[in-house]
Amino acid sequence: MIFRRYDYAAFCCFVCYAMCVLVIPVALDNMAGDLAFPLEEGGMGRGGFLQLGRSTLMVVSLLASGVLSGMWGKRATIAMAIGCMGAGIVMAGVAPVYGVVLLAVCVAGLGEGVIEGLVTPFVQDLHPAESGRYLNFAHSFWPVGVIAAAIGTGAMLYWGVSWRWILGGVGLLAVAPAMLLIWPDRQHCYHEINERFHWREIWAKTKVILTRRRFWVFFAAMFFAGGGEFGITFWAASFVKVEHFGSAGAGGLAIALFALGMAISRMASGWWVHQSGLKRLVILTGLASTLLGLLFPWVTSLTGLYVLLFLAGMGCAPSWPSIQSYAVERLGVGLDSTMLLILLACAGIPGGGVFAWLLGAVGDWIGLRASLYIVPVCFLLMTLLMAWDAKRQGPNGK
């Protein structure tokens, strides 16, 4: 595996993207107390709605990202999206009421949707051969950002730093990857002029993808993969505080251990699992994630929860990037890989938002511990869809 300037820019994008996404879940309990929607008093649904609203705007910008990249190129579009994401998080840090926080995370979501939609095909363009390895390795920097956000935010909250200062600092970090992308790499040129298209051409390519029946199998699998992964990510810290009476630092450590398992698993998948092994990887790790998810409501000790979160992170980590790369291969030649990856992300992002909200809403009704049974259901449905597709025959995804 050979990495160059824009590979490192992509790695930084994933780190900052993850930090901007995770800083709010880690600080959610503190934010809820200051903004009058305490989680222990029926505020979990409103907390989850923050992610639902954010993911809705992410889908809007995801759908537009193909057109935007066709006009300006992936590199410039991603750089502008990173600026939008950072501005939204800074705005959330100064928000006086819940409604302004919701608006701010929606602004951040507009940038995050473009990042989610274009960084993956950007890496695919850089490494068209063995893309699954490079995508898994690049996506391993998402949990690196999660670890940084979880440990850093949890520690600072424990030391008494205001969540407003933390959000502001995380938002400003987005400047770094934007500069890496804007500053041209003279030694290894990225020929983005060749990727620019009129929106009518992009729409024509999109319609071809939407007519493939097998595409919708992968679309549904991505929806449930996003729901399972982000359901844990969003609520892990609050689960520690509400059900285990842990501190902000303990909640941050919970997310960090989950992310550490993800980072190790994705890096290992990138190094050792070749393109031909992606199908088996997704199915086996999906089964493991289902079994591990069933244990969450039964864990009574904080130490046991930490171990389980680490193992669950290892189990669910390969699903998202591997399904995307496998779908590009499975659906055959003649399809636009950029639009295919964007459309698949349009399933994973709302899956995360819907199930983050659903876990909170059901948690208000029967308790967060019982609502966690939703997570293994997500992983089981994802695994069944992938196993069903593996049994189907027919070329080019027809």
Side-chain angles (χ1 to χ4, degrees), residues 22-279:
L22 263 295
V23 67
I24 288 179
V26 178
L28 184 62
D29 190 56
N30 298 74
M31 294 172 65
D34 288 349
L35 300 177
F37 63 102
L39 302 181
E40 296 88 346
E41 299 175 18
M44 283 188 274
R46 296 182 73 185
F49 191 76
L50 288 175
Q51 183 58 31
L52 181 60
R54 183 185 212 161
S55 62
T56 301
L57 271 294
M58 286 181 73
V59 172
V60 172
S61 61
L62 262 170
L63 292 171
S65 61
V67 176
L68 295 176
S69 68
M71 295 167 54
W72 302 321
K74 292 188 184 74
R75 185 166 61 89
T77 306
I78 294 170
M80 289 186 287
I82 291 170
C84 180
M85 175 185 70
I89 298 301
V90 171
M91 180 180 169
V94 299
V97 295
Y98 174 86
V100 179
V101 173
L102 179 60
L103 175 63
V105 298
C106 288
V107 170
L110 287 173
E112 290 161 354
V114 175
I115 295 168
E116 181 64 51
L118 294 184
V119 175
T120 297
F122 182 67
V123 175
Q124 173 113 2
D125 289 349
L126 294 172
H127 307 282
E130 290 286 342
S131 63
R133 298 181 68 199
Y134 283 93
L135 288 178
N136 263 305
F137 194 86
H139 276 259
S140 72
F141 285 86
W142 159 271
V144 170
V146 173
I147 293 169
I151 294 179
T153 302
M156 285 187 281
L157 289 171
Y158 180 76
W159 293 329
V161 179
S162 171
W163 60 269
R164 296 184 182 276
W165 285 103
I166 297 171
L167 265 63
V170 169
L172 291 175
L173 288 176
V175 174
M179 293 303 298
L180 279 173
L181 287 165
I182 292 171
W183 196 278
D185 186 352
R186 304 295 183 188
Q187 293 182 332
H188 304 98
C189 183
Y190 177 66
H191 299 286
E192 57 190 358
I193 189 66
N194 297 326
E195 67 174 17
R196 299 187 182 182
F197 306 98
H198 192 275
W199 70 267
R200 289 189 180 89
E201 187 176 355
I202 295 171
W203 173 236
K205 294 178 179 181
T206 302
K207 287 193 293 184
V208 173
I209 296 171
L210 297 178
T211 59
R212 296 290 180 89
R213 292 191 298 270
R214 182 166 285 156
F215 162 77
W216 294 103
V217 176
F218 293 118
F219 189 88
M222 284 290 293
F223 180 80
F224 292 117
E229 178 185 325
F230 205 75
I232 299 174
T233 306
F234 191 87
W235 285 109
S238 297
F239 182 69
V240 168
K241 295 178 184 178
V242 173
E243 297 290 339
H244 290 270
F245 309 103
S247 64
L253 181 59
I255 295 180
L257 288 169
F258 177 69
L260 178 61
M262 290 183 68
I264 293 171
S265 182
R266 281 183 178 167
M267 287 184 179
S269 299
W271 282 113
W272 292 316
V273 181
H274 291 271
Q275 197 74 16
S276 60
L278 292 181
K279 173 184 66 178

Side-chain angles (χ1 to χ4, degrees), residues 323-394:
I323 291 172
Q324 287 184 305
S325 181
Y326 178 66
V328 172
E329 176 189 355
R330 182 72 162 157
L331 288 170
V333 296
L335 298 183
D336 183 83
S337 61
T338 296
M339 283 310 304
L340 176 56
L341 292 169
I342 288 172
L343 290 171
L344 289 173
C346 285
I349 293 299
V354 167
F355 285 102
W357 166 77
L358 186 61
L359 279 162
V362 174
D364 283 333
W365 177 36
I366 60 174
L368 187 56
R369 183 181 293 273
S371 73
L372 286 176
Y373 280 118
I374 294 171
V375 169
V377 172
C378 288
F379 288 127
L380 178 61
L381 292 173
M382 177 206 75
T383 305
L384 291 175
L385 285 164
M386 294 299 294
W388 180 70
D389 175 78
K391 295 293 184 182
R392 295 182 65 191
Q393 302 296 321

